[in-house]
Amino acid sequence: MYPYRLSNILIGYLNLATLLASIPIIGAGLWLAKSSTTTCSSILQTPLLVIGFAVLLISLAGFVGACFHVAWALWLYLVAIIVLITFLLGLTAFGFAVTAGGGGTQVYGRPYREYHISDYSSWLQKRMQDIKYWRPALACVVGSKACAKIQNWTPMDYLQHDLTPIQSGCCKPPTACQYSGGMPVGAQDEDCYRWNNAPNILCYECNSCKAGVMEQIRQDWHKISILNVIVLVALICICSCACCAFKNARRSSSEYPYGVNHMSKINPRWDYYWYLKQNISVV
C-alpha cells in the first residue's frame, strides 16, 4: 500500500480547514439574504453563496482525492482551485474598487454623518441612478422601517444620538436645509425640495438616500472582504500542497511508488535489487 506522505496529510487537513472556512462565507450570504431588508445589500448575496458552495464542494473533492490517491480527481481539484483563486481575487478587488470612497461627512455639532452620492464610485452611482436597481433598493429601505424608529425624535435627540447611513440619508432632510412654514427658503440643495414630512415620502427620492444605501453596501462589503482574504490565503496554501499531492498520487499508480530508480535504465538488475531492498525494509 502506498504510504501517506506529508503533502497528502497537509492537503487533507487544509481541505478540512477550507470546508470549515466555507461555512462562514455561506453564512454571510444567507445573512445578507435574510437581512437584506435592513442592509439593502442583496446584490452581494448571490456571489457570496456561489463562492461558499464552490469552496465547500471543491474542498470535499480534494479531501477525497488526497485520501484515496486519485490522480485525475486531484488534477481536476487543482484546476478548480486555481480558477476559484482567480475568481475570488478578482471579486474581492472589484468589491474594494467599486466601494472605494464614501465614509460620509461629520455634521458639525451632531453625532451622525451625512452622505453624498458624488463621493462614491461611478459604477455604484450608475446602479443607484438606474430605476431597475433603485426600485428594489428603495423597497428594502422602506421595508426595513428604519425611519419609523426615529419618527418621534425631538430636535434634542438628533443632537445626542447617532444615525445609520439609511436613517441619515432617507429619513430626514439634509441638516443644512432651512424651512419656513414647512417650505424650503431660498436656493438650497435639491434634496431640501424633495423632502416631505409624509411617512411614505420623507426623503426616499433624495440623492442623500441613495448615498446612504451605497454607504451601507460599502460597510457591509468591507466586513465580508475580510472573510474573502482569509479564504484566499487558505486556498493559496492548499494549491501549493495540492501540486505535491498530485505528484504523489501519480507516483503511487506508477511502477515505482517510492520514486523512479534511474539506475534501472543503466542496469536492469537494479530492478531486482530495488525490489529486494523494499521488501526487506518492509519485513
Side-chain angles (χ1 to χ4, degrees), residues 11-279:
I11 203 71
Y13 279 113
L14 287 174
N15 273 285
L16 180 61
T18 52
L19 277 172
L20 298 177
S22 67
I23 295 176
I25 294 182
I26 296 174
L30 294 175
W31 170 71
L32 286 178
K34 181 180 179 181
S35 61
S36 60
T37 56
T38 301
T39 64
C40 302
S41 303
S42 57
I43 61 174
L44 301 177
Q45 68 193 43
T46 300
L48 284 174
L49 288 175
V50 170
I51 291 173
F53 281 110
V55 171
L56 181 67
L57 295 176
I58 292 173
S59 298
L60 184 61
F63 183 80
V64 173
C67 290
F68 293 96
H69 310 292
V70 183
W72 64 266
L74 282 174
W75 183 83
L76 291 177
Y77 165 77
L78 189 59
V79 172
I81 283 291
I82 294 174
V83 172
L84 185 59
I85 288 175
T86 304
F87 176 75
L88 188 58
L89 185 62
L91 179 64
T92 303
F94 175 77
F96 276 118
V98 299
T99 57
T105 303
Q106 187 69 45
V107 180
Y108 179 75
R110 309 291 177 93
Y112 57 82
R113 290 175 173 266
E114 290 186 340
Y115 307 91
H116 307 281
I117 196 171
S118 59
D119 294 339
Y120 298 88
S121 67
S122 58
W123 187 87
L124 268 182
Q125 290 185 42
K126 291 179 180 178
R127 289 298 186 276
M128 290 297 102
Q129 297 292 356
D130 192 335
I131 194 69
K132 179 176 64 175
Y133 295 99
W134 172 241
R135 283 302 174 191
L138 179 59
C140 94
V141 170
V142 176
S144 69
K145 299 183 179 180
C147 295
K149 299 176 182 178
I150 64 171
Q151 65 179 357
N152 295 323
W153 276 21
T154 65
M156 186 60 65
D157 290 322
Y158 285 94
L159 294 174
Q160 297 176 344
H161 302 291
D162 197 4
L163 297 171
T164 66
I166 290 177
Q167 288 174 334
S168 176
C170 305
C171 306
K172 67 171 189 60
T175 305
C177 293
Q178 297 180 2
Y179 295 92
S180 177
M183 298 296 294
V185 178
Q188 302 187 62
D189 189 286
E190 292 181 357
D191 285 347
C192 299
Y193 295 91
R194 295 188 180 108
W195 162 260
N196 191 301
N197 202 36
N200 61 331
I201 301 179
L202 298 178
C203 214
Y204 291 141
E205 294 299 332
C206 297
N207 286 331
S208 62
C209 186
K210 296 175 181 178
V213 173
M214 288 190 285
E215 176 63 22
Q216 191 69 58
I217 292 175
R218 186 190 73 86
Q219 292 179 6
D220 290 340
W221 179 257
H222 283 187
K223 293 176 184 177
I224 294 169
S225 293
I226 297 175
L227 289 176
N228 290 351
V229 171
I230 294 174
V231 173
L232 267 174
V233 173
L235 287 176
I236 292 173
C237 294
I238 288 174
C239 186
S240 301
C241 292
C243 293
C244 297
F246 174 66
K247 293 180 181 178
N248 294 338
R250 291 185 62 184
R251 187 183 301 164
S252 68
S253 58
S254 67
E255 186 178 357
Y256 300 99
Y258 291 90
V260 177
N261 187 356
H262 297 285
M263 293 300 296
S264 63
K265 298 180 180 178
I266 301 175
N267 188 352
R269 292 182 179 180
W270 277 100
D271 288 335
Y272 178 70
Y273 294 145
W274 179 261
Y275 173 79
L276 287 178
K277 180 179 178 180
Q278 296 301 324
N279 281 274

